[in-house]
């Protein structure tokens, strides 16, 4: 059995048959293979061996060295001696210690003034109530350990996790957070850490394997080959216990998919694909049954043992989960009431004169006692003070655990072991500049985002079908309502109505784009919070992949209506009509996309879009011509998105100077004289000819297309300029969408 061993549990100890599957990479097929479960072996980090897989093809010495590190052995002791005889830099873990001291965070809320309340008074007469969410919280988390933050709802668990994960503005958070004694810069923390939100924010139509693979393509650098990335994903699937669900879609309310526990593990997997040093989780067991919750925490234990620091908030862990945790912090209304090992809980509460009864769940007892004290007159003040004294007595034993390894040395050692594969380099002379802000160039990000969006669309063809159906139904109705319009005065009015309705319809059908980004909003915020890709890459990719659908919809609408209605211009006229429809779809889609970045509710978004588009139609020049619009509203006329495509298609229809639309007696058609006999109309024409001195007969052309354009006030912009302005509006709203994402997706508390 020749291959490279890939270890899914990275603890550095001699292991026999544990619960973690071991894999090797076959040197011939370069595919991961499972070792027999009865094979004794040494635990080696997954990242250490994965980083050598590609090199093993061309460098046999690397392969031999890797095989020596991780090949099946007959004597665990002899193998361990061989392992420990290697250079210290390759076998010893440089420990990380995350320390936080006196973290304090408060928010201000205003209430109506109450003269009996002891609050500060603001200038507007309302009272300012300062609520302390974190009050001098201190603690320490070590590499290889799991720290859990516990407490009742509103105790400050999630706030503490947000504070440690750099999700609170630095101006609002007081205290210090250091890694190996050095202050963590925001840019560095984004690279070496990951944050798993409480909600499972995943694309429902992607499979588990596809979800993790897309995460790998975002977070792993371009220097890693496709085969390496696939091998990493396959190993991670086994580490997360998702092998049986690898080909199953995530699912949602309308599509059956994976279970809740599997969804949670996928959420964890997409954030640890780059092997971060620090992992933050906000209530990872929320909403799960006891078995699923235990499996999730078991996965987190393996991640911690791989050389990471795992810090999570958890509501009420079971007895089995408590056995996996290394450190606990109990919070009560922003104050620390206990911090330390779970094994010290009985001693702590015994000294507090509230001993934990035998066979009692320790965390349940502690949480119940804390809640009972919160409801008492004195609150938890006595418990908070007792904890401070107890911690002071325990301080010497905790201080002895501090590491003497600098942050630079620890990160260098981690990179050499294969961690932080999101574009990290071995040159760590300057920690801030040694890490790339993004793992891949923007064009790679655009390709990956586009692939994911196209795959999602292919799995949901009903969305495009519904939009196409709406466009086609509208086109068929218009084609049958305005069939073969003539060149009479009534035909002119009917043409104006057709163009106004057709142009406004293209914008209204774009409203379906509102839920698209709103459904992705929090996925986007999660992914960009830790620099999975650039916001500009997202905007450009989404813009480009929307164009093919717009081209298809525009062609369908134009082909359905142009010849059926009897519009002028022939093939060149059709081409311009089609381009105008396409430009309208582009501008409307961009406008709706921009609004979806501003509003956060689907119904509110639809209401705003419908209202604004109605105003655009009102000021487009159809209901009232530009020359008749009051001066104080003329600015809105030029802001109307419907104005430019409407004027463009009118010019395309009426630009022929030789085409006549009102001849002789037809001038009476839109007046009461239109009902008089034809002979009377001819007599009136003769009388008018005598008065005007011009011979006006029944066939004399009175109004051409140019005259109609002048009547509509369409004289200042050519039809091609109208087209380019409509296209420019689309680009303008895409730029606004980018700045909306840039400003509105900071995802930090104030």
């Amino acid at each position: 059995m020749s291959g490279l061993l890939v270890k899914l549990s990275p603890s550095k100890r001699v292991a026999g048959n544990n619960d973690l599957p071991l894999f090797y990479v076959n040197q011939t097929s370069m595919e991961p293979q499972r070792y027999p479960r009865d094979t004794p072996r040494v635990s080696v980090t997954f990242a250490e061996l994965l980083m050598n897989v590609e090199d093993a093809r061309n460098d046999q010495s690397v392969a031999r060295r890797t095989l020596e590190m991780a090949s099946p052995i007959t004597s665990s002791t002899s193998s361990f001696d061989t392992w420990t005889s290697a250079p210290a830099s390759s076998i010893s873990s440089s420990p990380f210690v995350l320390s936080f001291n006196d973290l304090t965070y408060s928010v201000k809320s205003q209430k109506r003034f109450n003269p009996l309340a002891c609050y500060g008074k603001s200038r507007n007469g309302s009272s300012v109530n300062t609520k302390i969410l974190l009050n001098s919280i201190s603690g320490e988390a070590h590499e290889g350990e799991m720290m859990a933050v516990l407490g009742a709802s509103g105790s400050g668990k999630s706030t503490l996790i947000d504070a440690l994960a750099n999700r609170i503005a630095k101006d609002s958070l007081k205290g210090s957070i250091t890694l190996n004694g050095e202050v963590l810069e925001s840019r560095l923390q984004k690279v070496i850490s990951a944050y798993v939100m409480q909600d499972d924010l995943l694309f429902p139509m992607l499979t588990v394997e596809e979800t993790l693979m897309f995460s790998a393509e975002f977070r792993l650098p371009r220097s890693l080959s496709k085969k390496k990335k696939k091998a990493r994903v396959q190993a991670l699937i086994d580490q997360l216990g998702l092998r049986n669900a690898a080909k199953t879609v995530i699912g949602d309310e309308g599509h059956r998919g994976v279970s809740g526990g599997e969804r949670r593990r996928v959420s964890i997997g997409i954030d640890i694909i780059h092997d971060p040093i620090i992992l933050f989780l906000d209530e990872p067991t929320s909403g799960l049954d006891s078995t699923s919750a235990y499996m999730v925490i078991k996965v987190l234990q393996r991640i911690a043992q791989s050389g990471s620091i795992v810090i999570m908030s958890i509501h009420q862990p079971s007895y089995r989960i408590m056995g996996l945790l290394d450190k606990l912090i109990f919070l009560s209304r922003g104050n620390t009431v206990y911090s330390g090992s779970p094994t010290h809980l009985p001693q702590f509460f015994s000294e507090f004169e509230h001993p934990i009864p035998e066979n009692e769940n320790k965390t349940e007892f502690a949480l119940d006692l804390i809640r009972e004290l919160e409801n008492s007159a004195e609150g938890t003040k006595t418990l908070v003070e007792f904890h401070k004294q107890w911690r002071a007595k325990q301080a010497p034993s905790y201080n002895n655990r501090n590491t003497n390894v600098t942050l630079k040395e620890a990160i260098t050692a981690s990179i050499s072991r294969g961690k932080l594969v999101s574009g990290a380099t071995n040159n760590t002379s300057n920690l801030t500049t040694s890490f790339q802000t993004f793992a891949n160039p923007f064009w790679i990000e655009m390709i990956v985002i586009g692939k994911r969006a196209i795959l999602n669309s292919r799995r949901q063809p009903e969305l495009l079908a519904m939009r196409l159906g709406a466009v086609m139904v509208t086109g068929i109705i218009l084609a049958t309502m305005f069939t073969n319009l003539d060149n009479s005065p009534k035909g002119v009015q009917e043409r104006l109505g057709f163009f106004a309705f057709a142009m406004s319809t293209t914008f209204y059908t774009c409203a379906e784009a509102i839920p698209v980004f709103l459904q992705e909003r929090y996925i986007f915020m999660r992914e960009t919070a830790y620099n999975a890709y650039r916001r500009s890459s997202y905007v450009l990719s989404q813009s480009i992949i929307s164009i093919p659908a717009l081209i298809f919809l525009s062609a369908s609408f134009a082909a359905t209506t142009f010849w059926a209605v009897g519009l002028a211009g022939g093939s060149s006229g059709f081409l311009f009509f089609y381009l105008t429809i396409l430009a309208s779809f582009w501008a409307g889609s961009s406008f709706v996309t921009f609004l979806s970045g501003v509003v956060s509710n689907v119904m509110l978004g639809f209401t705003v879009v419908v209202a604004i588009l109605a105003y655009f139609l009102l000021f487009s020049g159809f209901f009232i011509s530009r020359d008749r619009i009051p001066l104080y509203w003329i600015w809105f006329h030029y802001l109307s998105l419907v104005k430019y495509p409407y004027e463009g298609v009118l010019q395309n229809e009426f630009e022929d100077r030789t085409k006549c639309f009102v001849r002789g007696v037809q001038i009476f058609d839109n007046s009461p004289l239109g009902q008089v006999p034809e002979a009377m109309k001819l007599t009136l024409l003769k009388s008018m000819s005598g008065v005007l001195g011009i011979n006006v007969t029944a066939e004399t052309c009175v109004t051409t297309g140019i005259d109609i354009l002048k009547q509509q006030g369409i004289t200042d912009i050519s039809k091609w300029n109208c087209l380019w302005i409509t296209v420019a509006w689309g680009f303008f709203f895409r730029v606004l969408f980018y700045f909306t994402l840039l400003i509105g997706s900071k995802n930090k508390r104030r």
Side-chain angles (χ1 to χ4, degrees):
M1 185 179 294
S2 176
L4 304 180
L5 180 63
V6 178
K7 175 67 174 67
L8 296 183
S9 170
S11 57
K12 296 207 169 40
R13 66 183 188 277
V14 178
N17 297 328
N18 52 32
D19 59 344
L20 301 175
L22 287 176
F23 288 77
Y24 71 95
V25 178
N26 188 286
Q27 294 183 39
T28 303
S29 64
M30 299 308 294
E31 296 295 332
Q33 305 289 333
R34 184 188 297 271
Y35 268 117
R37 291 189 177 273
D38 57 352
T39 305
R41 57 227 181 214
V42 174
S43 297
V44 182
T45 64
F46 152 72
E48 284 176 303
L49 300 174
L50 183 63
M51 65 188 294
N52 292 320
V53 171
E54 190 72 16
D55 302 330
R57 296 176 174 177
N58 304 317
D59 190 346
Q60 294 301 319
S61 63
V62 174
R64 286 195 298 272
R65 177 169 59 83
T66 309
L67 286 170
E68 289 172 0
M69 291 169 56
S71 60
I73 58 177
T74 57
S75 171
S76 297
T77 305
S78 63
S79 176
F80 184 73
D81 292 338
T82 302
W83 169 253
T84 55
S85 66
S89 62
S90 65
I91 64 171
S92 63
S93 174
S94 298
F96 290 97
V97 178
L98 180 69
S99 302
F100 47 97
N101 298 292
D102 297 325
L103 294 184
T104 302
Y105 175 60
S106 59
V107 294
K108 294 181 179 180
S109 59
Q110 290 190 352
K111 297 182 178 180
R112 286 185 297 179
F113 178 65
N114 180 359
L116 300 179
C118 298
Y119 298 122
K121 188 176 179 182
S122 64
R123 293 181 179 179
N124 59 9
S126 62
S127 60
V128 178
N129 178 19
T130 300
K131 183 178 181 180
I132 299 176
L133 302 182
L134 297 177
N135 186 18
S136 298
I137 307 296
S138 300
E140 212 172 65
H142 292 251
E143 176 186 326
E145 293 182 344
M146 286 196 298
M147 172 183 283
V149 183
L150 294 89
S153 298
S155 60
K157 302 188 301 295
S158 296
T159 304
L160 178 57
I161 298 296
D162 285 347
L164 296 176
N166 192 32
R167 290 166 62 86
I168 296 179
K170 292 188 180 296
D171 296 338
S172 303
L173 181 66
K174 298 178 181 178
S176 64
I177 302 173
T178 61
L179 186 62
N180 286 30
E182 300 183 26
V183 177
L184 267 177
E185 295 186 14
S186 178
R187 179 182 173 187
L188 177 61
Q189 185 168 353
K190 285 185 176 183
V191 176
I192 68 173
S193 66
Y195 180 92
V196 180
M197 297 181 178
Q198 182 174 346
D199 298 322
D200 299 320
L201 305 173
L202 305 168
F203 286 97
M205 300 313 296
L206 297 181
T207 66
V208 170
E209 185 176 8
E210 290 167 345
T211 300
L212 294 175
M213 193 63 210
F214 279 120
S215 179
E217 292 185 4
F218 282 131
R219 301 304 299 264
L220 303 186
R222 184 185 171 198
S223 57
L224 279 180
S225 67
K226 189 81 170 179
K227 187 172 287 290
K228 273 189 177 182
K229 292 178 181 179
K230 288 182 178 179
R232 187 171 184 83
V233 168
Q234 294 303 319
L236 186 59
I237 286 173
D238 285 295
Q239 185 183 17
L240 297 170
L242 294 169
R243 175 56 57 193
N244 293 332
K247 302 296 183 181
T248 306
V249 297
I250 300 299
D252 56 10
E253 295 83 357
H255 303 86
R256 186 175 180 83
V258 297
S259 66
E262 290 168 335
R263 285 173 62 94
R264 190 60 47 86
R265 280 176 273 160
V266 174
S267 296
I268 295 171
I270 58 179
D271 284 311
I272 66 169
I273 193 72
H274 64 299
D275 208 358
I277 292 173
I278 310 172
L279 179 61
F280 302 101
L281 304 101
D282 186 12
E283 299 202 19
T285 61
S286 177
L288 302 181
D289 59 77
S290 59
T291 301
S292 298
Y294 177 78
M295 293 178 66
V296 168
I297 301 301
K298 190 68 177 176
V299 167
L300 295 177
Q301 184 188 48
R302 299 169 189 169
I303 295 169
Q305 290 173 349
S306 72
S308 298
I309 300 172
V310 177
I311 303 177
M312 74 187 86
S313 62
I314 190 167
H315 187 66
Q316 195 163 349
S318 65
Y319 178 81
R320 290 196 302 166
I321 290 178
M322 278 292 294
L324 303 178
L325 302 176
D326 299 293
K327 280 188 177 180
L328 302 177
I329 294 181
F330 281 86
L331 297 181
S332 173
R333 295 176 180 173
N335 294 283
T336 306
V337 293
Y338 176 78
S339 61
S341 170
T343 58
H344 294 159
L345 264 178
Q347 176 189 353
F348 175 79
F349 283 102
S350 178
E351 294 181 16
F352 186 62
E353 298 181 354
H354 287 78
I356 301 176
E358 294 184 8
N359 302 322
E360 180 86 11
N361 186 306
K362 292 181 288 187
T363 54
E364 288 185 3
F365 175 86
L367 292 171
D368 290 343
L369 177 61
I370 293 170
R371 177 54 61 89
E372 183 179 337
L373 292 174
E374 287 176 346
N375 295 330
S376 64
E378 294 185 1
T380 56
K381 182 178 180 181
T382 55
L383 184 57
V384 172
E385 294 299 324
F386 175 78
H387 170 258
K388 292 179 181 178
Q389 299 171 8
W390 189 80
R391 285 289 296 177
K393 291 189 297 181
Q394 301 288 328
S397 63
Y398 284 95
N399 291 336
N400 291 335
R401 298 192 60 193
N402 288 339
T403 181
N404 294 321
V405 181
T406 65
L407 181 57
K408 173 185 172 181
E409 293 170 342
I411 291 181
T412 302
S414 292
I415 294 174
S416 67
R417 299 200 312 272
K419 290 185 76 69
L420 294 180
V421 288
S422 58
T425 65
N426 287 318
N427 177 22
T428 55
S429 57
N430 187 325
L431 287 177
T432 304
T433 59
S434 62
F435 295 98
Q436 300 177 8
T437 304
F438 300 94
N440 295 285
F442 81 95
W443 60 273
I444 292 289
E445 296 172 351
M446 288 177 57
I447 292 174
V448 177
I449 294 171
K451 283 169 54 180
R452 185 174 66 178
I454 292 172
L455 185 58
N456 263 313
S457 299
R458 286 175 53 194
R459 299 268 172 85
Q460 297 175 293
E462 64 274 9
L463 298 181
L464 179 60
M466 290 178 63
R467 190 174 181 185
L468 176 62
V471 170
M472 290 299 295
V473 167
T474 303
I476 292 172
I477 291 175
L478 290 176
T480 53
M481 281 287 293
F482 297 93
T483 303
N484 295 324
L485 298 180
D486 56 24
N487 294 332
S488 66
K490 290 184 178 180
V492 170
Q493 293 299 319
E494 290 165 353
R495 277 179 169 81
L496 296 178
F498 166 78
F499 286 130
F501 191 85
M503 295 303 106
S504 60
T505 297
T506 59
F507 288 94
Y508 277 111
T509 53
C510 292
E512 59 82 31
I514 291 178
V516 173
F517 177 71
L518 291 180
Q519 292 172 354
E520 297 182 14
R521 172 190 290 269
Y522 293 105
I523 298 178
F524 167 83
M525 293 175 67
R526 184 203 68 212
E527 291 176 334
T528 55
Y530 285 84
N531 295 344
Y533 49 79
R534 299 166 179 82
R535 294 170 177 83
S536 56
S537 301
Y538 180 85
V539 173
L540 287 172
S541 180
Q542 292 292 338
S543 301
I544 292 172
I545 64 174
S546 68
I547 293 176
L550 299 183
I551 292 175
F552 181 66
L553 293 174
S554 302
S556 302
F557 184 81
T560 304
T561 57
F562 185 84
W563 285 286
V565 174
L567 301 181
S571 58
S572 61
F574 173 78
L575 177 61
F576 184 84
F577 180 72
Y578 161 72
L579 291 176
T580 303
I581 296 295
L582 177 58
S584 300
F585 272 122
W586 162 250
S589 176
S590 300
F591 172 69
V592 171
T593 301
F594 160 66
L595 284 183
S596 68
V598 176
V599 300
S600 57
N601 182 273
V602 174
M603 295 307 299
L604 177 62
F606 277 119
T607 302
V608 172
V609 167
V610 170
I612 294 179
L613 290 180
Y615 300 146
F616 284 163
L617 179 60
L618 175 63
F619 288 94
S620 65
F622 169 69
F623 294 104
I624 180 171
S625 65
R626 176 174 60 89
D627 299 335
R628 302 278 296 172
I629 296 176
L631 290 178
Y632 48 82
W633 280 120
I634 196 67
W635 60 273
F636 207 119
H637 171 71
Y638 287 98
L639 290 179
S640 171
L641 295 184
V642 180
K643 161 187 166 64
Y644 301 99
Y646 174 68
E647 292 187 359
V649 292
L650 282 185
Q651 292 183 69
N652 188 56
E653 182 69 17
F654 297 114
E655 66 181 350
D656 188 354
R657 296 178 177 272
T658 63
K659 197 170 186 179
C660 187
F661 291 91
V662 179
R663 292 182 180 275
V665 294
Q666 289 180 334
I667 62 175
F668 304 115
D669 286 357
N670 291 325
S671 69
L673 295 177
Q675 304 299 321
V676 302
E678 188 76 12
M680 181 65 70
K681 293 179 182 178
L682 292 174
T683 303
L684 290 173
L685 284 178
K686 290 181 180 179
S687 300
M688 292 174 58
S689 299
V691 174
L692 297 174
I694 302 174
N695 185 25
V696 181
T697 66
E699 298 299 322
T700 302
C701 183
V702 179
T703 303
T704 64
I706 300 299
D707 297 323
I708 294 174
L709 294 178
K710 291 180 180 179
Q711 292 173 7
Q712 297 297 315
I714 304 174
T715 57
D716 55 340
I717 306 175
S718 68
K719 71 174 187 179
W720 287 104
N721 285 339
C722 288
L723 177 65
W724 299 130
I725 291 174
T726 305
V727 173
W729 272 118
F731 283 105
F732 175 72
F733 284 115
R734 294 286 173 174
V735 173
L736 287 184
F737 178 55
Y738 167 73
F739 284 108
T740 300
L741 299 184
L742 196 64
I743 297 172
S745 62
K746 295 297 184 182
N747 206 21
K748 281 191 177 185
R749 302 196 197 187
R750 294 294 177 184

